[in-house]
Amino acid sequence: HRAPLVGLARARQRATMAMTTTMTMSAFASRVSLAGASASRATTASNERRAMRCGPMRATSRARVSSSFAATTRARGDGGVDGVIRAFACARVRGQAMTRGAFAREDGETDAAEERRRRVARAPPRFSSTSSRATGAVDELKEVLNQSISAMTTVTPPFYSEGVIEDSETLSDYEVDALVTDDAVFNAEMSWLAFNWRVLAMAADESVPIFERLRFVAISARNLDEFFAKRVGAIKRQDAAGVENLVKRRGRSVWTPALTLQNVATEVERQVDVQAALLENHIVPALREHDIRLEHYSELSEDVQKELAKYFEEQIEPVLDPRAIDPCHPFPFLGSLSLSIAVEIEDAFKQEKFAIVSVPAPLDRWIRVHKDSSGDDVQRFIPLEQVIEANMEKLFKGCNIVATHVFRVTRNADIERNEDEAEDLLEMMADEVRERRFASFVRLEVQDTMPSYIRDKLVDSLDGITQTDVITVPHRAPLGFGSIDSLPVDFGMDVSLIYPHWAPRTHPRLEQVRGDERSIFAAIRDGDILVHHPYVSFATSTQAFIEEASRDPNVLSIKSTLYRTSNNSPIVNALIKAAENGKQVAVLVELKARFDEARNVGFAQRLETAGCNVAYGVKGVKTHSKASLVVRREGSKLVKYVHIGTGNYNPSTAGIYTDFGLFSCDEEMGNDVVNLFKFLMGHHYQERFSKLIVAPLRMQAEFVEMIEREAQNALEGKPASIIMKMNGLDDPTITAALYRASQAGVKIHLIVRGICRVRPGIPNVSENIRIVSIIGRFLEHHRVFRFENGGSPEFYMGSADLMRRNLLRRVEVIARIYEPKIQTELQEMLDACLADQVLAWEMGADGRYYRTPASRKVADNHQAHSPGKAKLMKVSATEGLHEALMESTLLSMKRRDKRVNVATLATKKIKRVDRAPKQVLERAPRVGATPQVEVPEVSDVSSTISASMSSTETTRPNFSDVINASMNESIIMSRDELL
């Protein structure tokens, strides 16, 4: 049902069609003879027609051949990849027709033949040994898949995306306005799928621990689940609105919704193919070497099968709800992302019946198989649906189970809402959560062994599903890859299966608060603090900030925004405790956070019950900002303490997402945050702030102004460069400004994890643009921006990506950073990202991402010519960004311990021994003491730091000051180590 991409594959397709027709006919003839029935010619002809109907070639629009795929995979500078994958064989040559035909039912069949077929249906599909042509075709496809997996370590996607122009010379003829609007240059859905390819490439990386590779397969599958529920759901709504409405808004250069869905379906099935091949050929065999096995029911011993049958009767069967499908029994309700089993039944009167059995979501998907009589230490697991299939006859007694087919559905999560007509947003969102359970379907996943007539029956029964929405998954892999990392594996002492454990550390400035009578507010008064999660602990920084404020009797008010947080959130508990302690607590809970609506509704109700003032967001936009304000009485004045973050107030994600959090008691920034909450909670309107940039008010305009300022500086011969780090970039206005800045000579470095509208390397357009994407152990989530500003760099950090939705349809907050040491820390992190040669992917002019010798030379060049902390960049280049930052965090903790020891020794008195010779007193002071002559030098160091901090408070530092500050700091630290 999917066309091959080059002539060789076309020939293979024609051969496959002929081969599968022959094999299905012979399969039917074989079963008829086994049944012992003398079938008439009419019956044989009927069976042959059924076999043909079960063939693998679906006549859909996806079967067309795209000439853009005929180009070879060009991995820059890597001859080992060049030409390896000239195309991806889209036709499923896995013997689909053979397996489908083998599972089909025949009329007049005996019980013995029917029982044999049931065993075949449960067993792993096997291809006929009598057809060498079939075996050769399957082996050929397997080789293509393995080659694509090998290529993924150096280039993703391993082939060109459908409908996307890859030739940079062709794009050089485009005007800038056309580059930023044409879907053939950038399509958001295809760019997102390209990001998911980079996630899947982590599963193909043999340097990653094997269970972590399994997790990356699961992550890529869960990403696809969300992609269909949100993005594909939105495209279907566009399709329902009509093409002309879309053209009015975006022009004729965009793809129609139907074409987008077609290209998405083709790309997704390729990813699913590679996911299945990774599991079958690479990850599952490697897990076996560690005594972890994913078993098939038919491969289990008879004793184990009996034990599972008992488990089915006691733990599974009472929960099941088998539903017959007939005029008296309508098609059952199927929840989004739920597994179900379609059952073909033959009753006592030899009549065909059809039923659906839903796999209960509350039950564990993976069942641990207990040890058999062999007594080995192997951990065995089997999927729940196989246990149900194997015991299906217990659900339909008196009937013959002809065949069972597992399938999975996804519902649309993009529900249209009208906030203008809502009287109560909380009630409206609660209704929407209920409505989403019954939304139309956007995806049907089936295994490639499912006969076409069963698939067609499901398509007809599921509202919103068309043939294009059917995603066929190879039969060798379970449906719903997203749950495969939930295997209850006991890792024991085998630490090689997973990443080495990392425990976040407490920030050195906050470490001084622990065990001391000083409060966290005193530490913030000493100067702004930047915490970097997950390297710095969320519990001892952001969480401690809110918790201490809730207990502090001098705190009068706490205000905070909540977008996403964890179950039983300690932040919510602290806010409730603050309200109970009589403090003024105001919380904006964003009810429209996708997939967290129900949880946030519950939090809002709990906070209201505790006496907090709760707002549900701003009408028409989402509040995505991460900001908190604590007002504290100190003497005769009120001091405003603020926290501005790039990530959510969520302790769970803070352990795996990389985010920054800024603590400050700066007066101007505090006033800005006060005005921000007046806007969020009331009817205050303010476009410009002193030290914040706020969307949707002026953020897009201010970013364009800063980009244009860099372009003007470049034209005037002044220093001009831009470094931006974010999750996604798709705003056409920002993209056009970056293209024009590149044309003016501005050096632009973009570190974009996900989708990116900008295309580098287009002659005369984007030759000065470099784009890097980092995928690794932690999810890169912080947003940081640096503008050279003619030699006086400006640094910003906050919650906003440069996405159109963030700039125009969300409340976002970005803070400018003035503290030189924090500027240096941000600069070092950005340089480490750009020097990474392990986790970083370099986007090429064709829109694909590369990790090749040529791309590594670009990172080498940045390390050689760009300022920054050389050691951090060096470790990032050889071991990756995440390892470099973990090592840097540990090193800073050791340096902090040395400083504490020096300060402690400096305060101790030296006890002299009167009877000792004078020479001994001078040369050998008591162990643990510090010579008195050295004490003033320690004081000098402290005064030097204080003087440096005070001297920079009144003047804005330039870039050379930032670098010199870093060098001076290293000199001071080495002096401390000498002491």
Side-chain angles (χ1 to χ4, degrees):
H1 62 278
R2 291 184 302 172
L5 307 177
V6 290
L8 174 63
R10 291 176 185 171
R12 192 190 318 155
Q13 178 185 7
R14 291 191 293 268
T16 302
M17 293 177 65
M19 176 268 296
T20 52
T21 301
T22 303
M23 291 304 300
T24 50
M25 294 171 61
S26 61
F28 270 102
S30 172
R31 286 202 313 280
V32 168
S33 62
L34 286 171
S38 56
S40 64
R41 291 185 178 182
T43 302
T44 303
S46 174
N47 290 334
E48 290 177 357
R49 286 194 298 270
R50 178 177 295 175
M52 292 295 293
R53 186 176 61 184
C54 296
M57 305 306 297
R58 285 192 298 171
T60 67
S61 56
R62 273 184 285 169
R64 62 187 178 85
V65 177
S66 173
S67 60
S68 64
F69 284 91
T72 60
T73 297
R74 295 188 293 272
R76 296 182 301 175
D78 193 342
V81 177
D82 186 29
V84 169
I85 307 297
R86 293 186 58 86
F88 189 85
C90 293
R92 300 287 178 95
V93 199
R94 302 176 184 83
Q96 294 175 26
M98 289 181 287
T99 54
R100 289 172 184 166
F103 293 165
R105 185 182 68 260
E106 290 205 30
D107 299 329
E109 196 172 38
T110 65
D111 291 341
E114 186 273 339
E115 177 61 25
R116 175 186 176 279
R117 187 175 55 260
R118 279 197 295 166
R119 290 196 302 270
V120 172
R122 296 173 190 162
R126 297 290 186 265
F127 300 111
S128 173
S129 60
T130 61
S131 175
S132 59
R133 295 176 63 189
T135 303
V138 172
D139 291 341
E140 188 172 2
L141 178 62
K142 183 176 180 179
E143 178 63 24
V144 170
L145 289 171
N146 286 334
Q147 288 178 344
S148 67
I149 291 171
S150 176
M152 282 168 56
T153 60
T154 52
V155 56
T156 59
F159 37 78
Y160 290 115
S161 299
E162 183 80 15
V164 176
I165 298 175
E166 69 278 355
D167 185 17
S168 61
E169 295 294 335
T170 301
L171 296 178
S172 64
D173 297 331
Y174 280 54
E175 297 292 335
V176 169
D177 292 338
L179 283 175
V180 300
T181 57
D182 197 331
D183 271 6
V185 181
F186 166 84
N187 176 269
E189 282 65 42
M190 302 305 288
S191 182
W192 189 97
L193 289 171
F195 155 70
N196 208 42
W197 274 114
R198 298 193 293 280
V199 175
L200 191 56
M202 290 293 294
D205 188 348
E206 295 183 356
S207 66
V208 176
I210 186 58
F211 200 83
E212 303 293 350
R213 293 172 64 186
L214 184 73
R215 284 177 176 159
F216 278 111
V217 172
I219 291 170
S220 69
R222 290 195 292 268
N223 287 347
L224 285 178
D225 291 342
E226 184 174 338
F227 173 80
F228 272 91
K230 293 170 58 175
R231 304 188 73 97
V232 174
I235 296 172
K236 283 182 167 288
R237 283 185 55 195
Q238 284 183 358
D239 195 19
V243 175
E244 290 305 319
N245 182 57
L246 181 64
V247 170
K248 287 180 182 178
R249 291 190 295 111
R250 295 185 55 193
R252 295 280 177 185
S253 60
V254 302
W255 293 349
T256 64
L259 179 58
T260 302
L261 292 172
Q262 176 180 310
N263 292 339
V264 163
T266 302
E267 191 77 4
V268 167
E269 286 201 335
R270 292 175 185 142
Q271 285 196 12
V272 170
D273 277 350
V274 174
Q275 286 174 337
L278 270 169
L279 283 175
E280 180 192 31
N281 303 329
H282 299 265
I283 296 176
V284 170
L287 286 173
R288 289 196 191 103
E289 297 177 2
H290 295 270
D291 293 334
I292 300 173
R293 296 187 180 183
L294 303 183
E295 302 283 12
H296 194 282
Y297 191 89
S298 63
E299 299 171 349
L300 300 174
S301 66
E302 185 175 349
D303 292 340
V304 173
Q305 288 185 3
K306 289 181 179 179
E307 185 177 347
L308 286 175
K310 182 179 179 181
Y311 178 83
F312 172 83
E313 294 174 356
E314 296 177 352
Q315 303 292 331
I316 301 177
E317 186 176 7
V319 187
L320 296 179
D321 181 25
R323 295 290 298 273
I325 308 300
D326 56 36
C328 297
H329 301 84
F331 201 87
F333 169 80
L334 302 179
S336 185
L337 304 179
S338 63
L339 279 171
S340 300
I341 304 173
V343 187
E344 294 183 79
I345 303 172
E346 187 180 77
D347 65 12
F349 302 99
K350 304 298 182 180
Q351 292 182 340
E352 298 181 0
K353 301 293 182 181
F354 186 67
I356 298 291
V357 177
S358 297
V359 178
L363 298 183
D364 292 335
R365 172 76 187 279
W366 297 95
I367 300 174
R368 180 185 291 274
V369 178
H370 296 295
K371 297 179 181 180
D372 55 19
S373 56
S374 62
D376 55 28
D377 293 328
V378 176
Q379 300 184 70
R380 297 181 173 87
F381 304 95
I382 188 170
L384 174 63
E385 61 270 21
Q386 286 191 15
V387 178
I388 297 175
E389 286 184 283
N391 294 273
M392 193 66 72
E393 66 275 1
K394 298 178 182 178
L395 301 178
F396 301 96
K397 289 188 177 180
C399 299
N400 292 328
I401 307 300
V402 178
T404 58
H405 314 283
V406 181
F407 65 95
R408 187 169 181 258
V409 294
T410 306
R411 289 184 182 267
N412 191 349
D414 190 72
I415 304 297
E416 185 177 7
R417 65 172 68 98
N418 191 343
E419 297 181 34
D420 293 329
E421 298 180 2
E423 297 181 359
D424 187 334
L425 187 60
L426 182 67
E427 183 179 347
M428 187 195 78
M429 294 309 302
D431 291 340
E432 180 180 310
V433 171
R434 288 190 293 269
E435 181 184 351
R436 184 180 297 164
R437 297 183 63 244
F438 302 95
S440 61
F441 296 95
V442 294
R443 177 177 60 166
L444 170 63
E445 296 173 90
V446 303
Q447 290 186 316
D448 56 9
T449 53
M450 178 180 284
S452 60
Y453 63 89
I454 296 295
R455 183 178 63 245
D456 294 341
K457 183 188 290 289
L458 293 176
V459 169
D460 294 339
S461 302
L462 298 174
D463 177 40
I465 292 293
T466 66
Q467 291 292 346
T468 306
D469 303 320
V470 180
I471 303 300
T472 308
V473 179
H475 56 257
R476 59 180 182 270
L479 288 179
F481 293 126
S483 67
I484 200 167
D485 62 340
S486 64
L487 291 169
V489 173
D490 180 11
F491 296 106
M493 301 299 292
D494 193 353
V495 296
S496 64
L497 288 168
I498 55 178
Y499 284 123
H501 175 68
W502 168 254
R505 269 54 176 181
T506 299
H507 192 281
R509 291 268 302 280
L510 301 178
E511 182 70 34
Q512 300 172 9
V513 176
R514 299 179 63 187
D516 197 347
E517 294 183 357
R518 298 181 73 224
S519 68
I520 192 172
F521 302 109
I524 298 173
R525 283 198 303 273
D526 292 340
D528 292 355
I529 299 175
L530 184 73
V531 292
H532 193 180
H533 310 303
Y535 312 104
V536 172
S537 170
F538 178 88
T540 60
S541 56
T542 307
Q543 180 179 327
F545 175 69
I546 301 296
E547 289 177 339
E548 185 169 332
S550 69
R551 300 187 303 265
D552 192 331
N554 294 319
V555 170
L556 306 179
S557 171
I558 304 175
K559 299 179 182 180
S560 185
T561 60
L562 290 179
Y563 186 73
R564 300 186 195 275
T565 188
S566 60
N567 294 323
N568 195 25
S569 168
I571 301 296
V572 173
N573 295 336
L575 294 172
I576 292 175
K577 187 68 175 178
E580 293 173 348
N581 290 338
K583 306 182 189 307
Q584 185 78 7
V585 180
V587 187
L588 188 143
V589 181
E590 181 49 76
L591 300 183
K592 294 169 285 187
R594 191 73 58 88
F595 301 121
D596 279 338
E597 295 94 340
R599 179 187 299 169
N600 287 2
V601 166
F603 286 145
Q605 293 172 338
R606 284 184 59 200
L607 290 165
E608 284 183 330
T609 303
C612 301
N613 294 321
V614 180
Y616 307 138
V618 179
K619 186 171 67 174
V621 296
K622 286 184 179 181
T623 303
H624 187 251
S625 58
K626 288 77 168 131
S628 292
L629 171 68
V630 173
V631 181
R632 189 172 187 265
R633 186 182 298 280
E634 297 180 358
S636 60
K637 66 176 183 178
L638 299 181
V639 180
K640 295 176 279 293
Y641 294 89
V642 302
H643 172 266
I644 304 293
T646 66
N648 296 305
Y649 291 110
N650 189 331
S652 299
T653 58
I656 54 177
Y657 288 17
T658 64
D659 277 305
F660 282 124
L662 175 70
F663 295 96
S664 177
C665 60
D666 179 83
E667 184 69 19
E668 288 186 84
M669 185 172 292
N671 291 334
D672 280 351
V673 177
V674 168
N675 291 326
L676 171 69
F677 276 99
K678 284 157 55 175
F679 165 69
L680 294 175
M681 310 295 287
H683 293 286
H684 181 81
Y685 182 82
Q686 178 177 338
E687 283 193 358
R688 292 185 179 272
F689 295 77
S690 298
K691 294 187 176 181
L692 298 181
I693 304 177
V694 179
L697 303 176
R698 274 193 53 81
M699 185 173 289
Q700 185 191 59
E702 293 200 31
F703 267 105
V704 171
E705 289 172 3
M706 289 187 285
I707 294 171
E708 291 177 346
R709 181 189 62 190
E710 295 298 321
Q712 185 62 35
N713 287 341
L715 294 174
E716 295 176 0
K718 299 178 182 179
S721 67
I722 298 173
I723 304 178
M724 296 179 171
K725 185 179 189 302
M726 68 207 88
N727 297 328
L729 193 167
D730 77 343
D731 184 69
T733 303
I734 298 292
T735 302
L738 290 172
Y739 279 145
R740 294 189 176 98
S742 172
Q743 290 174 325
V746 180
K747 297 297 183 182
I748 301 173
H749 299 274
L750 302 178
I751 307 165
V752 186
R753 171 174 56 86
I755 70 174
C756 183
R757 186 178 289 270
V758 180
R759 182 82 71 86
I762 302 175
N764 304 318
V765 179
S766 58
E767 293 171 311
N768 290 314
I769 298 179
R770 179 189 175 202
I771 301 176
V772 169
S773 175
I774 295 177
I775 308 292
R777 172 178 183 170
F778 302 125
L779 186 138
E780 291 295 308
H781 195 253
H782 29 38
R783 294 92 167 180
V784 181
F785 309 90
R786 178 192 180 277
F787 298 89
E788 181 64 32
N789 190 30
S792 300
E794 294 180 356
F795 290 82
Y796 300 84
M797 56 145 283
S799 62
D801 295 312
L802 297 186
M803 304 279 285
R804 191 170 185 83
R805 67 184 185 190
N806 296 84
L807 300 177
L808 302 180
R809 298 192 296 275
R810 289 187 176 183
V811 179
E812 303 279 6
V813 173
I814 286 179
R816 182 173 173 185
I817 304 299
Y818 289 90
E819 177 64 41
K821 288 187 177 181
I822 296 180
Q823 288 183 340
T824 302
E825 186 174 348
L826 294 177
Q827 180 70 60
E828 291 170 353
M829 187 276 298
L830 294 173
D831 284 331
C833 292
L834 296 171
D836 191 332
Q837 300 181 31
V838 179
L839 304 178
W841 293 87
E842 198 92 18
M843 185 194 281
D846 57 357
R848 294 197 290 172
Y849 288 79
Y850 296 86
R851 192 185 282 166
T852 62
S855 68
R856 293 188 178 98
K857 288 181 181 179
V858 180
D860 280 336
N861 183 63
H862 179 84
Q863 183 177 350
H865 297 90
S866 297
K869 193 173 182 180
K871 186 168 184 179
L872 184 62
M873 296 175 65
K874 183 177 180 181
V875 177
S876 178
T878 56
E879 299 182 27
L881 174 67
H882 299 158
E883 289 292 333
L885 289 172
M886 286 190 288
E887 182 177 317
S888 177
T889 301
L890 295 176
L891 185 61
S892 67
M893 296 301 297
K894 292 180 180 178
R895 288 170 175 169
R896 183 258 168 197
D897 292 340
K898 289 183 179 180
R899 290 190 187 123
V900 172
N901 291 337
V902 170
T904 302
L905 293 174
T907 60
K908 290 184 177 180
K909 295 182 179 180
I910 300 176
K911 295 182 179 180
R912 297 180 178 273
V913 181
D914 294 336
R915 291 172 295 178
K918 185 176 182 180
Q919 297 85 342
V920 176
L921 289 174
E922 295 177 350
R923 291 183 299 172
R926 185 177 178 180
V927 176
T930 302
Q932 293 182 353
V933 294
E934 300 292 345
V935 175
E937 189 169 348
V938 176
S939 177
D940 292 341
V941 172
S942 301
S943 62
T944 301
I945 297 175
S946 301
S948 175
M949 293 176 62
S950 62
S951 65
T952 58
E953 288 178 353
T954 56
T955 60
R956 186 170 67 182
N958 56 38
F959 187 58
S960 60
D961 293 335
V962 175
I963 301 306
N964 291 336
S966 176
M967 296 175 61
N968 292 335
E969 182 183 1
S970 64
I971 294 173
I972 293 172
M973 286 165 31
S974 62
R975 188 181 301 168
D976 288 344
E977 294 173 3
L978 181 60
L979 291 175

